[in-house]
Amino acid sequence: MRVYFWGVRGSLASPPSPRAWQRWLGRLRAARARTGVLFERRPPPPPGLTGGHTPCVEVRHRRQRLVLDAGTGLVRLGRALMRGAFGRGRGTLDLLVSHTHWDHIQGFPFFEPAYRRGNRLTIHGPQRHLARAFRRQQHPDHFPVPLEALPARIRFRRSPVERWFRIGDLRVYALRVPHPGECYAFRIESDLCSLVYATDLEVRTASRGPGAALARLAQGAALLIFDAYHGTGRPRGWGHSSATLAAQVAARAGVRRLALFHHDPRADDRALTRAAERARRELRRLGASCEVLVAREDEACRLA
């Protein structure tokens, strides 16, 4: 099983500005002129080099692809898929949706495989309004192409909550989490390993309530992808968590690896590095052994 990050930001896509890129490249050139070595002392990158697209994570297991959320990162994934079977109208894909806020579904109208006849797309989620949300997004008031006009075969399948179900060869368990609207975390298991995807949620402690429930969901997982929108700060009642709380849940669950995810669109790479260090300090304080990484676009995690 491998996990690929195509979109890692929360709320709003945030690519680096041309000015930020030019400043960064200017610092690189100046460093090279001084030392003759391009990366002897690499200057801090501009905001957004971690990735500016909204959530989209791909899970690959044998020949199966399961995509978690359809933020703007889905557009990049779609372009990559079109170079293979999806470009010939022979692709099959499952999409599992945590919730239907715009930053988690706004990439779907631009998903190129949906415009190729013969491709099969199944959209899963526990929400009663799942199909309606996707159709509303492509209402003529918002988008020129209605959902029904897409040539690919698109099906919606409602998933159960708090019991196991299957998507292909993978077993999935959905747990509702505290976030405005109807939002779910998922545990995904193969015959070799498991991961938990827990984005857009607010917990105040890992010892009781929703935090304890998430720790039980993630027990022994190889990877926990966890909302750390507030970085080194504290939750503010908006339905998001921090690096410290992510570490507490990871420690209580005994996971092998923690990926901080759903980054604040204003956070640059330095802020995200500080958040990861805060998580590591909290894990050391709790006596837990867990690798911490910042979820970055175009990076992959091999779980088994």
Side-chain angles (χ1 to χ4, degrees), residues 83-296:
R83 294 195 288 267
F86 288 88
R88 300 188 296 273
R90 299 176 184 174
T92 300
L93 185 82
D94 291 287
L95 170 63
L96 181 59
V97 179
S98 66
H99 64 305
T100 58
H101 286 172
W102 280 338
D103 55 328
H104 290 255
I105 65 170
Q106 63 192 161
F108 191 80
F110 300 93
F111 186 50
E112 290 184 30
Y115 290 80
R116 184 61 54 91
R117 190 174 304 280
N119 288 332
R120 296 171 176 243
L121 312 175
T122 304
I123 303 174
H124 306 260
Q127 304 86 356
R128 290 180 180 272
H129 63 279
L130 184 64
R132 185 171 73 248
F134 274 75
R135 289 191 179 97
R136 280 180 174 177
Q137 182 175 226
Q138 293 184 227
H139 185 276
D141 287 347
H142 311 299
F143 194 75
V145 182
L147 186 69
E148 290 75 14
L150 297 180
R153 180 184 175 187
I154 300 171
R155 297 186 303 164
F156 290 88
R157 179 169 292 175
R158 191 174 177 204
S159 308
V161 178
E162 296 190 12
R163 65 182 177 88
W164 290 98
F165 60 97
R166 299 196 76 90
I167 299 179
D169 292 332
L170 296 170
R171 299 173 67 241
V172 184
Y173 189 96
L175 175 72
R176 188 161 183 173
V177 294
H179 186 73
E182 187 181 350
C183 186
Y184 296 88
F186 301 109
R187 184 181 178 108
I188 300 160
E189 291 188 351
S190 71
D191 50 355
L192 295 176
C193 61
S194 60
L195 71 98
V196 170
Y197 179 74
T199 182
D200 291 67
L201 55 94
E202 182 171 334
V203 297
R204 298 302 177 107
T205 176
S207 60
R208 60 182 182 276
L214 280 162
R216 290 192 295 272
L217 181 73
Q219 198 67 40
L223 174 66
L224 170 61
I225 303 171
F226 199 92
D227 184 301
Y229 186 92
H230 293 299
T232 58
R234 296 180 178 180
R236 304 171 189 173
W238 299 342
H240 297 289
S241 293
S242 68
T244 300
L245 289 162
Q248 291 172 4
V249 172
R252 191 174 181 89
V255 302
R256 295 207 314 261
R257 191 180 298 172
L258 168 65
L260 304 181
F261 185 72
H262 202 270
H263 312 308
D264 186 329
R266 299 164 296 182
D268 61 18
D269 282 27
R270 287 173 289 185
L272 298 176
T273 298
R274 288 195 298 270
E277 286 303 318
R278 176 72 64 88
R280 293 185 187 107
R281 288 198 301 271
E282 183 68 10
L283 286 163
R284 287 195 294 269
R285 184 185 73 82
L286 296 170
S289 176
C290 174
E291 180 186 354
V292 177
L293 58 94
V294 174
R296 289 185 171 89

